[in-house]
């Protein structure tokens, strides 16, 4: 319905009066919505980069540190996954308020990264555990330093899983509403939050256009996430995110 | 006057053939309080094909990992060409390893896998191309240079692993059961090839295996390990023909083991004959001993003069193509196996049947007498 009526020539949300791209045009001239889109993209990209770097490091650390510390860290890592998102949202809000931090784009980024690390780690952890430890030893045996072995051998082996989780995180954060709602400042607001506010004052067909674009974007990303491992000629690894 | 030319305990001269390529100086390795390797002393000469042989858990792989730098000895020192490398990481030792799992880099082509070590060392590009090409020819992987490892067969992957290590021209090549994952036929073929390659390149090979046939056919010398110690170290002939311990005798092929009392240079079986074994210093008169002799060292005909001969009764005849094994009872409950070659001269109708009494001859030098 949303897709259909986004192409409606009239403002009506119930009667289709012919094909038109006027709502898309309206969207691209709406500076507030465009600002929100820009912010959402910014937040998603930063959250993606941040959570992938930290998540991969955490996955490597967890798999290789079999001690007590690793076990506890692994358990704590699971907490964001099982906590209802609204709890995480409220908790983040209280934390920022308690620390006297003004809510802005930065606070959304921090909250989203915190939330996303777990996903990256869960996806990467099994991949890291499946790596043959002799491969990294072989690299060092052939003259690589520890860091070179990681960069030249381990990370390339993990690349499909890293890219898939990056795409997933981008899509999750971009579409995220709850966490963004609690941690965003007044202006600009992430797209999802902006849409929610807009709907409260009556649905504009522009929102349909935005929704359609977001849907198309998400489908493309999920398709990409599914295709990446195929491109690398690898099966499995995606079972974890196919439910998204 | 006695010459006082002090020989340096440690010489860094790598061209000197008298300096062992690998020396383990009283090396021990503990894991959580238990010894994987105990007080190991080994010297491996340059250009030698040296095998570490033993059952799983005997410490052979740990020994190899300590030479490669992947495990730190708890005690003792590892010397490569006279240089103490105990504290050096793997990437700073002039050794390369062929791993049991091959550990190939799946995201790189065969050629890039082989070139990996040379690139780390900053070898100029044209030289890398040349050496990688030559190595691909040596291990017979022509036409495979651009393939990814995953598209190769087990034998081909094994060759890539070998080429990737050898191309760096290490002083020592470490091989951790490199043939274990191959099927029997391919394994036999690779054994011959590996030995040929080793002769061609003249690099010291340290080869870990649990397969005694493999160790015997390929090695210049073999160290038989058990429980973290070297039980015996010598040429394949030494360890097979003259085992020094019960473990080595049992591990290297099949051996007959009979118990008796040692008296007057013979082992007296209970309710049976005395088996002359000659004087054995170190074995007490009247003590209970085990006598060990290999089945193929027992003669059933054409005895040599002066050879001890005893009687036995054939209990079982097992024909297996080129050989026939007889199970012969020497005394109540004491049976030994004797192996006869079915050569052109041996006629089928001459084979003994169950219940027949036969004469057994042997050379006392082939007997191992072990006190309890």
């Amino acid at each position: 319905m949303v897709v259909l009526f986004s192409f409606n020539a009239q403002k009506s949300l119930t009667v289709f009066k012919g094909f038109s791209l006027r709502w898309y045009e309206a969207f691209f001239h709406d500076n507030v919505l465009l600002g929100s889109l820009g912010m959402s993209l910014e937040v998603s990209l930063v959250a993606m980069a941040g959570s992938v770097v930290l998540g991969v490091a955490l996955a490597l650390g967890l798999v290789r540190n079999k001690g007590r510390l690793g076990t506890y860290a692994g358990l704590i890592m699971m907490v964001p996954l099982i906590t209802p998102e609204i709890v995480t949202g409220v908790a983040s809000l209280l934390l920022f308020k308690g620390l006297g931090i003004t809510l802005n784009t930065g606070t959304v980024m921090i909250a989203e990264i915190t939330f996303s690390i777990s996903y990256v780690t869960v996806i990467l952890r099994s991949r890291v555990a499946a790596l043959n430890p002799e491969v990294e030893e072989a690299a060092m045996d052939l003259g690589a330093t520890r860091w070179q072995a990681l960069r030249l051998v381990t990370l390339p082996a993990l690349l499909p899983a890293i890219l898939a989780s990056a795409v997933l995180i981008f899509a999750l954060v971009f579409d995220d509403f709850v966490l963004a709602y609690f941690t965003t400042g007044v202006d600009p607001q992430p797209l999802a939050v902006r849409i929610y506010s807009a709907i409260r004052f009556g649905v504009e067909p522009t929102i349909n256009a935005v929704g359609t674009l977001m849907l198309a974007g998400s489908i493309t990303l999920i398709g990409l996430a599914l295709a990446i491992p195929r491109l690398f000629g690898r099966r499995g690894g995606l079972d974890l995110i196919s439910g998204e | 006057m006695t010459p006082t030319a002090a020989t340096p305990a440690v010489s860094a001269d790598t061209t000197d053939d008298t300096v062992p390529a690998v020396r383990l100086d009283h090396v021990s390795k503990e894991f959580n309080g238990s010894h994987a390797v105990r007080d190991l002393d080994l010297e491996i000469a340059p250009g030698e094909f040296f095998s570490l042989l033993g059952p799983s858990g005997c410490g052979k792989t740990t020994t190899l990992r300590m030479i490669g730098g992947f495990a730190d000895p708890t005690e003792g020192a590892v010397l490569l060409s006279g240089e103490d490398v105990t504290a050096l990481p793997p990437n700073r030792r002039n050794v390369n390893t062929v791993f049991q799992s091959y550990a190939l880099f799946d995201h790189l082509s065969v050629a890039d896998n082989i070139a990996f070590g040379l690139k780390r060392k900053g070898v100029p590009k044209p030289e890398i191309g040349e050496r990688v090409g030559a190595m691909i020819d040596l291990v017979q992987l022509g036409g495979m240079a651009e393939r990814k490892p995953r598209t190769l067969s087990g034998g081909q992957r094994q060759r890539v692993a070998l080429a990737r290590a050898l191309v760096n021209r290490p002083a020592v090549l470490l091989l951790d059961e490199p043939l274990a994952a191959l099927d029997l036929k391919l394994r036999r073929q690779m054994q011959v090839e590996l030995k040929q390659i080793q002769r061609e390149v003249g690099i010291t090979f340290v080869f870990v295996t649990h397969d005694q046939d493999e160790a015997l056919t390929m090695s210049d010398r073999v160290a038989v390990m058990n429980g973290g110690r070297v039980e015996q170290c010598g040429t394949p002939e030494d360890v097979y023909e003259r085992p020094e311990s019960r473990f080595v005798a049992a591990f290297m092929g099949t051996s007959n083991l009979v118990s008796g009392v040692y008296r007057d240079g013979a082992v007296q079986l209970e309710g049976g004959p005395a088996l002359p074994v000659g004087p054995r210093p170190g074995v007490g008169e009247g003590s209970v001993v085990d006598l060990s002799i290999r089945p193929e060292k027992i003669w059933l005909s054409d005895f040599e003069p002066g050879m001890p001969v005893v009687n036995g009764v054939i209990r079982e005849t097992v024909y297996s193509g080129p050989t026939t094994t007889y199970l012969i009872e020497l005394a109540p409950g004491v049976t030994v196996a004797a192996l006869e070659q079915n050569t052109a001269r041996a006629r089928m109708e001459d084979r003994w049947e169950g219940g027949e009494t036969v004469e057994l001859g042997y050379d006392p030098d082939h007997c191992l007498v072990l006190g309890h």
Side-chain angles (χ1 to χ4, degrees), chain A residues 132-146 148-149 151-157 232-235, chain B residues 65 68 70 90-91 93 95-97 99-107 113 116-117 120 150 164-165 168 176:
Chain A
N132 175 1
E134 282 191 345
V135 173
E136 211 167 276
E137 286 184 353
M140 289 197 272
D141 181 71
L142 294 166
T145 60
R146 204 165 262 282
Q148 281 176 326
R151 187 167 56 86
L152 296 170
V153 172
T154 308
L155 291 181
F232 286 90
R234 206 168 279 191
R235 278 166 291 117
Chain B
R65 289 176 63 83
F70 298 109
N91 52 333
R93 296 187 184 197
V95 297
N96 286 113
T97 309
F99 292 87
Q100 187 171 7
S101 67
Y102 311 147
L104 299 180
F105 308 135
D106 280 341
H107 64 290
N113 261 279
F116 191 91
R120 298 285 77 69
R150 246 175 296 142
R164 185 180 66 176
N168 304 291
D176 185 6

Side-chain angles (χ1 to χ4, degrees), chain B residues 8-124:
Chain B
V10 172
S11 157
D13 187 5
T14 51
T15 56
D16 188 355
D17 268 12
T18 59
V19 174
V22 179
R23 195 174 138 218
L24 298 179
D25 184 13
H26 296 282
V27 166
S28 294
K29 175 71 180 172
E30 264 179 64
F31 287 115
N32 306 322
S34 69
H35 276 86
V37 171
R38 275 168 205 268
D39 200 28
L40 199 65
D41 247 338
L42 269 185
E43 284 195 1
I44 301 170
E48 201 173 14
F49 196 121
F50 190 90
S51 290
L52 294 167
L53 172 69
S56 59
C58 72
K60 57 192 193 300
T61 296
T62 306
T63 305
L64 197 76
R65 289 176 63 83
M66 287 194 286
I67 302 173
F70 298 109
D72 298 323
T74 324
E75 275 167 65
V78 179
L79 290 90
L80 295 174
S81 307
E83 189 195 351
D84 189 337
V85 297
T86 317
L88 291 184
N91 52 333
R92 295 183 49 205
R93 296 187 184 197
N94 192 14
V95 297
N96 286 113
T97 309
V98 177
F99 292 87
Q100 187 171 7
S101 67
Y102 311 147
L104 299 180
F105 308 135
D106 280 341
H107 64 290
L108 298 177
S109 68
V110 167
D112 285 338
N113 261 279
I114 299 174
F116 191 91
L118 298 178
K119 282 183 184 162
R120 298 285 77 69
K121 279 189 207 155
V123 174

Side-chain angles (χ1 to χ4, degrees), chain B residues 258-276:
Chain B
V258 295
S259 293
V261 177
Y262 180 78
R263 198 168 286 133
D264 296 333
V267 176
Q268 175 69 51
L269 302 183
E270 201 185 330
L275 307 172

Side-chain angles (χ1 to χ4, degrees), chain B residues 32-327:
Chain B
N32 306 322
S34 69
H35 276 86
V37 171
R38 275 168 205 268
D39 200 28
L40 199 65
D41 247 338
L42 269 185
E43 284 195 1
I44 301 170
E48 201 173 14
F49 196 121
F50 190 90
S51 290
L52 294 167
L53 172 69
S56 59
C58 72
K60 57 192 193 300
T61 296
T62 306
T63 305
L64 197 76
R65 289 176 63 83
M66 287 194 286
I67 302 173
F70 298 109
D72 298 323
T74 324
E75 275 167 65
V78 179
L79 290 90
L80 295 174
S81 307
E83 189 195 351
D84 189 337
V85 297
T86 317
L88 291 184
N91 52 333
R92 295 183 49 205
R93 296 187 184 197
N94 192 14
V95 297
N96 286 113
T97 309
V98 177
F99 292 87
Q100 187 171 7
S101 67
Y102 311 147
L104 299 180
F105 308 135
D106 280 341
H107 64 290
L108 298 177
S109 68
V110 167
D112 285 338
N113 261 279
I114 299 174
F116 191 91
L118 298 178
K119 282 183 184 162
R120 298 285 77 69
K121 279 189 207 155
V123 174
K125 259 204 171 142
E127 194 191 330
I128 293 183
E130 236 168 75
R131 282 168 71 174
V132 169
M135 201 43 74
I136 286 180
D137 290 341
L138 180 72
V139 297
Q140 299 168 27
L141 283 173
M144 307 270 182
E146 295 314 314
R147 298 262 297 266
K148 286 285 167 70
R150 246 175 296 142
T151 65
L152 303 178
S153 70
Q156 290 166 335
R157 292 165 62 83
Q158 212 279 323
R159 286 158 204 260
V160 177
L162 183 64
R164 185 180 66 176
L166 274 180
V167 76
N168 304 291
R169 298 175 187 155
V172 180
L173 186 72
L174 308 175
L175 303 103
D176 185 6
E177 308 221 17
L179 308 180
L182 304 178
D183 62 55
L184 192 66
K185 206 174 156 196
L186 197 54
R187 205 152 136 183
R188 293 267 177 268
Q189 184 193 335
M190 284 305 296
Q191 285 174 8
V192 177
E193 266 181 46
L194 210 53
K195 184 70 195 167
Q196 274 171 354
I197 288 172
Q198 194 258 342
R199 266 194 222 109
E200 224 165 293
V201 295
I203 290 174
T204 312
F205 275 34
V206 182
F207 188 91
V208 159
T209 181
H210 65 265
D211 181 333
Q212 47 116 352
D213 282 341
E214 206 163 273
L216 291 179
T217 41
M218 299 172 78
S219 319
D220 296 321
R221 278 197 306 148
V222 181
V224 184
M225 291 187 71
N226 182 35
R229 294 175 196 277
V230 171
E231 291 260 344
Q232 190 176 352
C233 181
T235 64
E237 212 184 293
D238 278 338
V239 291
Y240 187 81
E241 303 283 345
R242 290 172 289 282
E244 285 164 7
S245 71
R246 196 185 314 256
F247 176 82
V248 176
F251 191 74
M252 303 301 293
T254 44
S255 247
N256 291 302
L257 208 61
V258 295
S259 293
V261 177
Y262 180 78
R263 198 168 286 133
D264 296 333
V267 176
Q268 175 69 51
L269 302 183
E270 201 185 330
L275 307 172
V277 291
R280 299 277 165 164
V283 180
E285 269 309 284
S287 65
V288 177
V289 294
D290 284 336
L291 187 156
S292 159
I293 184 167
R294 297 200 184 278
E296 71 271 21
K297 302 293 184 198
I298 296 176
W299 301 40
L300 296 175
S301 55
D302 306 326
F303 305 121
E304 290 192 341
M307 184 178 257
V309 174
V310 295
N311 285 329
V313 178
I314 303 270
R315 286 292 168 226
E316 199 89 57
T317 302
V318 182
Y319 171 76
S320 52
T323 60
T324 301
T325 304
Y326 299 99
L327 299 180

Side-chain angles (χ1 to χ4, degrees), chain A residues 8-9 47 50 66 72 89 96 121 129 142-143 153 159 170 178 182 188 203 208 210 214 222 224 229 241:
Chain A
N8 200 345
K66 302 266 188 244
Y72 287 140
F96 290 135
T121 306
L142 294 166
V153 172
L159 192 62
F170 185 90
V178 180
F182 282 105
V203 180
N208 282 340
V210 177
M214 286 174 75
I222 303 264
L224 205 58
I241 59 168

